[in-house]
Every structure is written in C-alpha cells, then in structure tokens.
Amino acid sequence: HLPNATELEEFESLVTNHTMLHEQMVNFFRGFRRDAHPMAIMTGVVGAMSAFYHDSTDITDQHQREVASIRLIAKMPTIAAMAYKYTVGQPFVYPRNDVDYASNFLRMCFAVPAEDYEVNPILSRAMDRIFTLHADHEQNASTSTVRLASSSGANPFACIAAGIACLWGPAHGGANQACLEMLNEIGSVDRIPEFIARAKDKHDPFRLMGFGHRVYKNIEPRATVLKESADEVLGLLGVENNPLWQVAKELEKAALADPYFAEKKLFPNVDFYSGIILKALGIPIEMFTAMFATGRTVGWISHWNEMITNPYRIGRPRQLYTGADSRDYVPLNKR
Ligand code: SDX
C-alpha cells in the first residue's frame, strides 16, 4: 500500500521524530569491548530496548505495536551508527530532523565534532537504494527467526534482536562482509583460478561468498540493480579501476563461465555487489551486516505485524528422529 502525500509526510515525520535513542541506553555501549563486532552490539542493544520501552511491548495493543514498529525502524540507523562510533572511539553523533533517513545514517557514522559534515548526494542515494533493496525478502532465515520468536508472544524488541543474531551468519547477511574479505584474500586477478578451484573442491569447505542462493537459481533481480549501482558509484567516485573491483568483475566473469557454477545455478547474489558498493562508500567492512540489518528491519517488522494481527499458533518445526530406538542406562562406574 503506497501512501498518499499526506500519509507519507505523517510517516516520515513519525520516523524522523523517533530516531533518538533513550539517553540512558548510551551506557549499554560502554559495556562492550572496543573491538566488539557491531552486530554483537546491535543484538545486545536492540534486545535491551525491551528493558527501556515498556510502553510498547504489549503486542495485543495496536497502538503499542505501532509505537514499537516506528521506534525500531527509526532507531536502527542510530544504533548501527553508535555501534560503529563506539568501535572507533569517536563521540556519538545525534540524529537530525532536517535530513533524510539515509543521509542521517551517513552523518551519524562519519560526522565529527571538529568540522561540519556534508552528505554526498551520490552516497546517500546509493545508501537509500541499499536500504530499500535489503528491506524484505520473503521467508529467509532471519525473517523466519523473527516470525518463530514472535509466535511465542515475545516482545517486538526481543524478536528483532533474534533476527539480527540470525542475519549475522556468513551464509546469510554476514556474506557481504565475508565476500569483501574473500576479495581481499584473492588480492589479484591472477589468483582467481586458485579460488575457483577451491570453491569447486568437495573436500575444501571454502565457498565463493556472494554467490549462490537458497531460492534463486538465476541472477537475482537485486543483484542486477546493485551491479548498475556499483558501476555508477565507482565511476562517480573515480574508483572504477581499483584492484578490488577488478578482482570482483573478473571473478564474476570466471564463475559465470565455469560449468560447475552453471550446473549448480550459482550466480552472484545481493551480497556480492552490496559489499563492493559499501566499500566504495567508505563504510567499514565490519558495518556491512549492520547495514543489512538496518534495511531488513522494515521487512522483519512487516512480517511481525502481519503475523500477530492474524490468528497464529506457536511455531514448532517438525523433526525426523533418526537416533537409537532405546539405550539402557549404564552407571557411571561402568562406562
Ligand atoms: C542472503 O534466503 C534469502 O533470501 C537470503 C537473502 C535475503 O535477502 O535474506 O537473499 C540474503 O543470505 C544471500 C545469500 C548470501 N550467502 C552467501 O553468499 C554465502 C555463499 N553461498 C552459499 O553459502 C550458499 O549458496 C547458500 C547458503 C546461499 C545457499 O545454500 P543452499 O541453497 O543450501 O545451497 P547448497 O548449499 O545446497 O548448494 C548447492 C550446491 C552444493 O554442492 P553439492 O552438494 O550439490 O555438490 O552448490 C554448492 C554446494 O556445495 N554451492 C557452492 C556455493 N553455494 C552453493 N559452491 C561454491 N560456492 C558457493 N557460494
């Protein structure tokens, strides 16, 4: 349902005016080591919101559901930016009400008290596109985690924290960071065949990060849009010739030409290109998955609302027990 002009203005105003975090929550960040991964901080702080925002945890109250939804969508960029600032030892930057969502996020990440920070419109447009493309994606692992947590009646902050924890894995949202680390490890175009061979070797656990998908068995639509965006951003920033992007382009070409990847229908996914763009935008590699979590909060919240505003039962995935039929107890001194 796309809003009309009035609805859009009301929604944007609601989100904008809830971007600040409860000031006492700043103390939570100080409990982490400086080298904590931003996703560890986000999992902790978002879960802790249950302990601060008691007036929006009753999931049977529509108004409280709406307040919790707006608070989570509005505060995720602030929490993600604070997680970054904390790890680099810089002061937190408060959100502003006179800039858009993506620009606010970039400001909170990169502004410093010593000078004014002007958001580059190229960067904020690319950031907005990344948030939009990551917003939702059906019943992926982290969204299913949010729905399963919600099915027990847990409060929205706890459910979103569960989603953040699941998204962190390198097979899921952590793939954008893992993909950049892989491109850095490959280092130069001439080492690509070695890594392709490793990815094909059944005895080597190495996989090409940013390739393959649980559902898509073709080039996924987000990757197509992000590939254009990557070319645009790198061109506008004048870094289209940087070695990392050259390795990425050659790796994509080599993988797509290789029968193994064609047979198994392994194509570049959203994380392959988003990592390149985020790197070009100057986003630290440890923040890539926090970006993904920030964008995906919109989808998690939508699934949460859809589920709990319709009849539902607690989730209980079935299992096939393949263990022994019976085992006699053997006393400790006889084992
Ligand atoms: C996301 O679900 C979603 O929608 C997720 C997501 C979202 O928006 O929420 O789209 C976001 O998580 C994208 C995926 C990001 N992950 C990665 O880029 C990590 C690398 N990819 C792989 O780990 C893997 O492709 C998965 C996890 C994405 C998909 O796993 P599947 O569907 O279980 O595929 P599989 O493991 O069964 O692989 C099928 C075959 C296997 O070989 P065989 O056992 O048949 O011989 O393909 C091989 C795999 O070994 N294979 C790969 C590979 N991915 C699969 N071989 C080398 N490199 C790879 N990347």
Side-chain angles (χ1 to χ4, degrees):
H1 165 71
L2 291 177
N4 61 34
T6 311
E7 289 168 328
L8 177 60
E9 192 182 338
E10 281 168 3
F11 180 72
E12 284 190 331
S13 165
L14 257 181
V15 170
T16 301
N17 288 285
H18 283 81
T19 46
M20 251 195 330
L21 199 60
H22 188 297
E23 189 63 16
Q24 200 186 334
M25 288 197 78
V26 169
N27 301 327
F28 260 97
F29 289 82
R30 294 199 167 77
F32 291 93
R33 279 175 40 147
R34 282 289 182 187
D35 57 356
H37 193 288
M39 286 297 277
I41 299 175
M42 287 186 80
T43 306
V45 172
V46 172
M49 288 172 80
S50 317
F52 280 84
Y53 297 108
H54 297 113
D55 59 345
S56 60
T57 52
D58 177 357
I59 63 171
T60 62
D61 175 338
Q62 182 185 344
H63 174 68
Q64 291 199 32
R65 287 199 301 270
E66 284 171 11
V67 171
S69 302
I70 292 292
R71 277 176 169 156
L72 279 158
I73 293 169
K75 297 179 195 308
M76 282 300 264
T78 309
I79 293 168
M82 289 171 77
Y84 168 61
K85 282 300 200 190
Y86 182 72
T87 58
V88 293
Q90 291 181 3
F92 296 138
V93 175
Y94 285 93
R96 293 181 59 90
N97 291 351
D98 57 357
V99 289
D100 65 77
Y101 194 80
S103 302
N104 222 349
F105 174 70
L106 290 170
R107 263 195 81 260
M108 290 189 284
C109 282
F110 300 120
V112 288
E115 57 192 34
D116 291 338
Y117 178 82
E118 279 304 309
V119 178
N120 177 329
I122 301 163
L123 307 196
S124 60
R125 173 172 154 67
M127 198 71 247
D128 186 54
R129 190 180 283 183
I130 284 186
F131 280 146
T132 304
L133 286 170
H134 286 76
D136 186 43
H137 206 240
E138 203 195 68
Q139 287 274 54
N140 54 82
S142 53
T143 299
S144 305
T145 301
V146 170
R147 289 184 81 121
L148 200 53
S150 310
S151 75
S152 73
N155 73 70
F157 305 109
C159 296
I160 299 301
I164 295 172
C166 176
L167 185 76
W168 192 0
H172 191 11
N176 49 23
Q177 172 175 344
C179 178
L180 254 290
E181 287 164 350
M182 174 190 74
L183 292 175
N184 279 321
E185 189 188 355
I186 294 174
S188 63
V189 171
D190 58 344
R191 292 195 65 199
I192 288 175
E194 169 198 336
F195 283 82
I196 294 260
R198 282 188 57 195
K200 292 159 61 175
D201 178 356
K202 294 306 306 160
H203 304 296
D204 187 332
F206 173 78
R207 289 192 166 180
L208 283 188
M209 302 317 282
F211 282 79
H213 197 276
R214 195 73 182 77
V215 176
Y216 288 126
K217 299 307 171 192
N218 57 2
I219 288 255
E220 62 155 290
R222 299 171 300 177
T224 307
V225 173
L226 281 175
K227 180 171 181 168
E228 287 165 22
S229 208
D231 274 323
E232 177 189 317
V233 168
L234 289 156
L236 290 165
L237 294 177
V239 293
E240 66 273 32
N241 298 318
N242 77 354
L244 210 58
W245 185 228
Q246 297 315 317
V247 169
K249 280 188 165 180
E250 287 310 310
L251 177 67
E252 179 195 24
K253 208 183 291 177
L256 292 178
D258 189 298
Y260 172 92
F261 293 90
E263 282 152 25
K264 296 187 185 297
K265 302 190 184 313
L266 302 173
F267 295 92
N269 57 42
V270 63
D271 294 289
F272 183 72
Y273 296 106
S274 65
I276 305 280
I277 297 173
L278 291 169
K279 176 79 178 157
L281 296 181
I283 304 282
I285 205 167
E286 298 73 24
M287 280 296 286
F288 286 9
T289 312
M291 263 351 104
F292 196 148
T294 302
R296 184 54 54 88
T297 296
V298 173
W300 287 333
I301 284 293
S302 306
H303 279 269
W304 173 72
N305 273 295
E306 177 192 68
M307 197 182 95
I308 62 173
T309 49
N310 290 288
Y312 66 93
R313 297 176 66 196
I314 187 165
R316 184 71 164 75
R318 299 300 307 279
Q319 70 170 51
L320 291 177
Y321 176 72
T322 56
D325 292 338
S326 70
R327 298 172 67 187
D328 297 331
Y329 175 76
V330 178
L332 184 58
N333 60 7
K334 296 232 184 314
R335 288 178 209 162

